[in-house]
């Protein structure tokens, strides 16, 4: 509706401009005709009274509203000067008509007819400095202006009435209603309702637009149905994969528990039977009791690790000096590393790196990564622990030159109870726990490894953690 009104308003303004321009041109044309007519009348009148032009010096003639008198262009007597400034008359020797107000402020037409002398060269008449001034009220301009204004107003009223009819018929019925239907249809489409085609019984651009919208809705309906079918299939497939993954995880955890607990229980059971048989010497009984105690501690550690993995608590953040944390942790682990013929080297920036983290949990991550690097090769490895400040994050890197890992090992590295170490040297929960701690801190842990014994082999663990806890507003800003 608004678009139709705008189009009709633009059409109305164009018609109005045409009417105004036509009225101005008509007014100027009629004004010019009036001046030419007045000038012809004045010229005829001047020829008639030219024989008695001398009498006009003493007594100007006046007939109704027309005044006739003789004037001089070069004289000191102001009463014989023309009403119009002399400089506007000396530039031409032809009849001149000028409109200007008189003493009372009434516009009058002044026509000046030159008088000729018969004493010119070869007896031919020549113009003299005298003129016959014929003046009459300039009523033609006002009457023509009124007529033009009246005509313009009538034309404008007619155009306005016609435009009103066009607005109602053409704007509302031909443009407004189809546009309203299209807008309503597009609104339903934006809400996901593609049903109900828009009906436009016209062969113009709006009709073509309506047909295009209907075709678009049909295609969108077909694509949505196809998408719903594909989504349902994908959800079913995903549920099946999740179920299979859960079964695989349960099986791996059960196998890990059976392995980590079953072997020590077998030792405990065998040693207990030996003690119960009474065939052992006191020394043998003591050794069996110590073996039972050792395997029981191993079972206890496995259960504690499993509970820690299953019930990971949320980090208790506090401002921590990461440089000092790494130095303390390496100092505690250095004797164990030396027993495995491993060398620990720390590379940190000169300026302390501060972050809000759970100090105990992050120390556990560092410990697990260093232990994993130390045990990567039996012949002794070099482990480099480096810390880098990345603005709002910090990066912890643990690099070793051990045997490295293949792709199959990397794909299961952070799964619980997955380990490549000999029985009794690891339960496969250290890296899984470390991965959970880093995730709880809003960070990520990645690994890059090159297997083999050639130069450049080894593994690199990269831990990236935000220095500050990310709030909901921070998450939205980063997104």
């Amino acid at each position: 509706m608004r678009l139709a009104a705008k189009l009709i308003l633009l059409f109305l303004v164009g018609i109005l401009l045409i009417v105004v321009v036509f009225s101005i041109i008509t007014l100027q044309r009629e004004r010019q005709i009036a001046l030419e007519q007045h000038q012809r009348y004045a010229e005829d009148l001047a020829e008639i009274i030219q024989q008695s032009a001398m009498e006009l010096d003493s007594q100007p003639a006046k007939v109704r509203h027309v005044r006739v008198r003789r004037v001089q262009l070069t004289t000191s007597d102001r009463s014989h000067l023309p009403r119009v400034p002399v400089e506007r008359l000396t530039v031409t020797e032809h009849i001149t008509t000028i409109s200007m107000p008189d003493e009372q402020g009434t516009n009058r037409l002044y026509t000046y007819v030159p008088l000729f002398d018969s004493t010119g060269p070869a007896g031919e008449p020549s113009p003299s400095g005298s003129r016959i001034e014929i003046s009459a009220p300039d009523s033609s301009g006002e009457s023509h202006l009124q007529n033009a204004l009246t005509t313009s107003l009538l034309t404008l009223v007619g155009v306005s009435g016609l435009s009103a009819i066009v607005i109602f018929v053409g704007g509302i019925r031909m443009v407004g209603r189809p546009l309203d239907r299209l807008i309503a249809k597009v609104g339903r489409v934006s809400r996901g309702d593609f049903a109900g085609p828009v009906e436009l019984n016209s062969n113009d651009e709006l009709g073509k637009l309506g047909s295009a919208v209907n075709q678009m809705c049909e295609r969108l309906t077909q694509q949505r149905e196809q998408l719903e079918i594909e989504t349902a299939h994908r959800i079913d497939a995903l549920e099946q994969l999740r179920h299979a993954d859960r079964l695989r995880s349960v099986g791996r955890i059960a196998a890990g528990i059976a392995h980590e607990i079953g072997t020590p229980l077998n030792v405990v059971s065998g040693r207990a039977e030996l003690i119960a048989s009474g065939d052992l010497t006191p020394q043998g009984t003591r050794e069996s009791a110590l073996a039972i105690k050792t395997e029981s501690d191993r079972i206890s550690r496995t259960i504690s690790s499993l509970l820690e993995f299953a019930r990971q608590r949320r980090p208790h953040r506090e401002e921590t000096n990461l440089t000092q944390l790494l130095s303390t942790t390496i100092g505690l682990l250095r004797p164990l590393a030396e027993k495995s013929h491993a060398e620990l080297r720390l590379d940190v920036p000169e300026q302390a790196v501060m972050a809000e983290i759970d100090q105990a949990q992050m120390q556990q991550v560092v410990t697990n990564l260093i232990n994993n690097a130390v045990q990567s090769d039996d012949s002794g490895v070099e482990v480099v622990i480096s810390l880098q400040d990345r603005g709002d994050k910090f990066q912890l890197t643990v690099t070793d030159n051990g045997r490295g890992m293949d792709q199959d090992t990397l794909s299961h590295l952070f799964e619980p109870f997955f380990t490549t170490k000999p029985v009794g040297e690891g339960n496969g929960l250290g890296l899984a726990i470390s991965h959970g701690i880093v995730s709880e801190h809003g960070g990520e842990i990645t690994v890059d490894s090159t297997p083999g014994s050639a130069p450049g082999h080894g593994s690199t663990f990269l831990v990236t953690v935000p220095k500050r806890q990310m709030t909901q507003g921070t998450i939205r800003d980063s997104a």
Side-chain angles (χ1 to χ4, degrees), residues 137-157:
D138 188 8
S139 59
S140 60
E142 296 180 358
S143 62
H144 286 299
L145 178 60
Q146 291 178 356
N147 292 334
L149 290 176
T150 302
T151 303
S152 300
L153 289 176
L154 292 177
T155 305
L156 181 60
V157 170

Side-chain angles (χ1 to χ4, degrees), residues 366-386:
V366 176
T367 301
N368 290 337
L369 293 179
I370 294 177
N371 285 334
N372 186 78
V374 169
Q375 298 171 5
S376 63
D377 199 332
D378 298 334
S379 60
V381 295
E382 179 182 10
V383 182
V384 179
I385 303 96
S386 61

Side-chain angles (χ1 to χ4, degrees), residues 264 268 289-302:
V268 170
L290 290 175
I292 292 174
K293 176 66 170 57
T294 301
E295 297 303 321
S296 298
D297 292 341
R298 178 182 170 185
I299 294 174
S300 177
R301 289 194 302 270
T302 301

Side-chain angles (χ1 to χ4, degrees), residues 53-66:
M54 297 300 297
E55 299 177 1
L56 297 177
D57 290 339
S58 58
Q59 182 64 37
K62 181 176 181 181
V63 180
R64 292 185 181 181
H65 299 291
V66 179

Side-chain angles (χ1 to χ4, degrees), residues 137-306:
D138 188 8
S139 59
S140 60
E142 296 180 358
S143 62
H144 286 299
L145 178 60
Q146 291 178 356
N147 292 334
L149 290 176
T150 302
T151 303
S152 300
L153 289 176
L154 292 177
T155 305
L156 181 60
V157 170
V159 171
S160 300
L162 179 62
S163 299
I165 297 175
V166 173
I167 288 176
F168 179 77
V169 177
I172 296 178
R173 299 186 60 181
M174 299 177 61
V175 179
R177 291 178 181 175
L179 281 179
D180 289 340
R181 294 175 184 174
L182 285 173
I183 292 173
K185 178 61 177 178
V186 172
R188 295 197 303 270
V189 171
S190 65
R191 294 189 294 271
D193 181 11
F194 303 143
V198 58
E199 297 180 358
L200 298 179
N201 299 323
S202 61
N203 295 323
D204 54 6
E205 288 77 5
L206 290 177
K208 294 179 180 178
L209 179 59
S211 300
V213 171
N214 292 333
Q215 294 176 3
M216 178 190 69
C217 291
E218 292 177 0
R219 288 195 296 269
L220 288 176
T221 302
Q222 296 174 358
Q223 292 176 0
R224 182 169 65 179
E225 293 176 353
Q226 183 178 1
L227 182 61
E228 290 177 352
I229 295 174
E230 293 179 355
T231 302
H233 290 166
R234 291 181 180 180
I235 291 176
D236 292 341
L238 183 61
E239 288 297 328
Q240 294 176 4
L241 290 175
R242 288 178 177 175
H243 181 67
D245 186 66
R246 283 195 295 268
L247 292 178
R248 185 179 64 175
S249 298
V250 170
R252 183 179 294 110
I253 292 175
I257 294 176
H259 181 271
E260 292 296 326
I261 297 180
T263 302
L265 284 178
N266 290 333
V267 175
V268 170
S269 176
R271 294 286 185 170
E273 289 179 359
L274 290 176
I275 294 175
S277 66
D279 297 334
L280 295 178
T281 62
Q283 181 64 25
T285 302
R286 183 173 178 276
E287 291 177 356
S288 296
L290 290 175
I292 292 174
K293 176 66 170 57
T294 301
E295 297 303 321
S296 298
D297 292 341
R298 178 182 170 185
I299 294 174
S300 177
R301 289 194 302 270
T302 301
I303 293 175
S304 298
S305 298
L306 181 61

Side-chain angles (χ1 to χ4, degrees), residues 323-338 344-346 363 366-367 370 385:
T323 305
Q324 183 178 359
L325 174 65
L326 292 180
S327 299
T328 303
T329 305
I330 292 176
L332 295 175
L333 297 177
R334 195 178 299 278
L336 297 177
E338 291 177 352
L344 302 182
R345 185 160 56 88
L346 180 62
Q363 188 174 26
V366 176
T367 301
I370 294 177
I385 303 96

